[in-house]
Amino acid sequence: MAIGNPFSLGGTVTAGIVSARNRDINSGPYDNYIQTDAAINRGNSGGPLFNLDGEVVGINTAIISPSGGSIGIGFSVPSKTAMPVIEQLRQFGETRRGWLGVKIQQVTDEIAETLSLKPVRGALVAGIDDRGPAKPAGIEAGDVIVKFDGKDIKEMRDLPRIVADTPVGRDVEVIIVRKGKEEKKTVTLGRLEDTDKLAAATPSKKDAAPEEKTVVQKTLGLNLANMSDDLRKRYKIKETVKGVVITGVDSNSPASEKRLGAGDVVVEVAQEAVATAADLQKRIDQLKKDGRKSALLLVSNADGELRFVALSLQ
């Protein structure tokens, strides 16, 4: 049941069914909503969602509504999410969220296969903030975080919420999978400042650049070239970025589907650094020889932002 003051009518009660918990409506990195069809309209926000025992289970927050009125799809923040925030507001006058200092992305079936990760789970670390707590703890790009403070990380979006709800300054045990084996790390959690972004690695679409006649990897659909001053200048690649430059992408290739583009830089293949196009070719040939179905590439954009991309070798 929901209580509120819809349309300024005064105290109003509506009843409904909980369709789902932990619903993600893309409103932010901490989405964890209860979905109900108890009618929620303007004036209900901030009111309680409670069960028949009178226990408050959520705080009514949002609805999906093409018309502006209730269509039976409403969302509440769970009480267990709200309570720590209330305590922080009482104690500090502000919210204080935990910060790990990693850039993460979803573990897909292809990526899991290249990392020998079974079952598919966790959050893949695509990059480490040099100022963050993860770096001194020994967490590296390519690690998959599968457990944080005793809580399982079933998918990428679980991690930001669990980290944010963990007290700042606490020593936390983190279980990672590195090269197919589980390892334990201890992280002293930092504080997420308002200016920090809890980053999820998202591919960026680039304009196609003129192709060059360089080493071509037909299977992956990539044209590759060794890093040079000319290429750095052409694609505005930062000096800190090292690897093999992509100078062209076959529009019908897996690489194009994964939004790789000219000016991206391949930093690693199968978690080993590559310095030249010949190195990259050699690594791909070896993976095919070993019977691997996919190749895991660590790719940097011109600004040095990293992400993992799994490309089919079939």
Side-chain angles (χ1 to χ4, degrees), residues 114-276:
T114 64
L115 294 174
S116 304
L117 182 67
K118 293 181 181 179
V120 179
R121 65 196 191 281
L124 176 62
V125 178
I128 301 288
D129 191 314
D130 287 338
R131 303 165 298 139
K135 187 168 185 177
I139 296 174
E140 301 173 356
D143 292 343
V144 178
I145 297 173
V146 295
K147 190 172 281 191
F148 185 91
D149 197 21
K151 302 177 182 72
D152 289 330
I153 308 298
K154 295 177 182 176
E155 55 182 320
M156 179 191 78
R157 70 188 187 93
D158 292 339
L159 185 64
R161 187 173 63 249
I162 292 171
V163 171
D165 290 343
T166 305
V168 174
R170 182 163 151 193
D171 287 341
V172 177
E173 184 179 88
V174 181
I175 307 293
I176 64 167
V177 174
R178 180 180 293 171
K179 296 186 177 178
K181 295 181 181 178
E182 285 195 0
E183 296 183 20
K184 290 182 182 179
K185 303 290 182 184
T186 301
V187 178
T188 303
L189 211 60
R191 181 182 173 189
L192 182 70
E193 303 294 341
D194 292 338
T195 53
D196 288 323
K197 293 180 181 177
L198 218 147
T202 51
S204 57
K205 188 77 175 174
K206 288 183 166 40
D207 295 329
E211 277 195 18
E212 291 185 350
K213 291 182 180 179
T214 57
V215 179
V216 176
Q217 220 310 311
K218 292 181 181 178
T219 307
L220 302 183
L222 296 175
N223 289 357
L224 306 168
N226 297 338
M227 185 68 76
S228 67
D229 291 339
D230 178 58
L231 289 175
R232 280 194 190 279
K233 187 175 179 181
R234 183 191 306 179
Y235 296 119
K236 298 182 174 63
I237 301 170
K238 284 188 174 179
E239 287 295 327
T240 53
V241 178
K242 311 290 184 187
V244 181
V245 184
I246 298 173
T247 57
V249 178
D250 184 340
S251 60
N252 297 318
S253 69
S256 179
E257 291 174 11
K258 297 294 174 67
R259 297 183 180 180
L260 290 175
D264 284 336
V265 179
V266 180
V267 180
E268 293 179 1
V269 176
Q271 296 183 288
E272 288 191 18
V274 288
T276 66

Side-chain angles (χ1 to χ4, degrees), residues 17 65 74 78 99 152 209 251 295 297 304:
I17 296 168
S65 172
W99 179 51
D152 289 330
S251 60
L297 276 55

